[in-house]
Amino acid sequence: MPFAARRRGRTIADKAFSGGLTFATPTFVAIAPNITPDVETGIGSWSDAEIKRALVAGIRPDHGRLAGVALAAIMPANFYSALLPDDLDAIVAYLRSVKPLRSEVPDPQYKAPVRRDAYPDAVAGFDRATFTDPVRRGAYLVTIGHCMECHSAWSRGVSDFRNGLGRGGRAFPVPAGAPDGTPASVAANITSDPAAGIGGWSDQE
């Protein structure tokens, strides 16, 4: 949970959604912000519409700290833009119900303009009427779960969602604060290829 405070790489349960996880990349350094309803250090002063804009467009409100500044690229707004209106409403309602916690984190440091690669299914959008088809409902869940953000081919800092969708190979360094000995990881191939991917796995597996 990137928005939960951590101690020695582990989530601190009573500080859920208060932020603190650091993401250091060649183009930005960002610390997950506090998204509890705390008015001063969280999102308690944000309107419903402003929370939704942050989710689907990756832009902060036009008031307060860092007014109008883009959220770091680690925020998968390019996937969340697929969220249907009632799901967006439900997310906002839930965030409003979280215990407010005071927790201020450092500002992000951007070394290049924020860029998010367009995700084809999110751009095309979804219609709940099509969810009787489990493939379409699955595509929606995979999109808002931003599974393919990590599991697609990656080259020179750009995701290849068209030719490398699900192919894996993206490397991830050990996150800051992880316990000593934590290995780096590489996203796996989750296509239906029977040898390189998960084509030989059963549904249960």
Side-chain angles (χ1 to χ4, degrees):
M1 183 189 299
F3 294 102
R6 290 175 178 252
R7 182 183 293 119
R8 294 182 180 177
R10 294 183 178 146
T11 300
I12 302 172
D14 60 354
K15 295 189 179 293
F17 299 100
S18 64
L21 184 60
T22 298
F23 299 91
T25 78
T27 56
F28 67 85
V29 176
I31 298 178
N34 181 350
I35 58 169
T36 76
D38 182 71
V39 173
E40 294 184 356
T41 65
I43 60 172
S45 66
W46 297 19
S47 69
D48 289 4
E50 287 166 343
I51 294 173
K52 291 175 184 178
R53 185 173 78 152
L55 284 166
V56 304
I59 303 293
R60 293 178 177 84
D62 297 324
H63 60 82
R65 182 173 165 233
L66 299 173
V69 173
L71 294 162
I74 198 72
M75 175 65 173
N78 48 329
F79 294 84
Y80 291 162
S81 63
L83 281 162
L84 293 173
D86 53 345
D87 287 334
L88 265 175
D89 289 341
I91 291 170
V92 171
Y94 175 72
L95 290 175
R96 296 284 192 212
S97 76
V98 171
K99 177 184 175 182
L101 296 170
R102 181 173 180 79
S103 176
E104 188 167 354
V105 303
D107 292 345
Q109 302 169 30
Y110 297 148
K111 304 170 188 178
V114 175
R115 194 200 81 249
R116 293 181 174 85
D117 301 324
Y119 185 64
D121 273 346
V123 172
F126 291 89
D127 180 347
R128 199 172 296 279
T130 67
F131 287 177
T132 52
D133 176 359
V135 171
R136 288 307 297 156
R137 177 160 175 75
Y140 177 68
L141 295 174
V142 163
T143 299
I144 62 175
H146 54 102
C147 306
M148 297 303 180
E149 180 178 24
C150 297
H151 286 280
S152 291
W154 176 264
S155 177
R156 298 181 181 179
V158 178
S159 299
D160 185 358
F161 295 132
R162 294 197 179 276
N163 300 309
L165 188 70
R167 195 171 68 197
R170 184 174 177 180
F172 294 89
V174 178
D180 291 342
T182 301
S185 59
V186 177
N189 182 329
I190 57 170
T191 70
S192 56
D193 185 277
I198 59 173
W201 296 19
S202 68
D203 287 0
Q204 291 75 14
E205 289 168 337

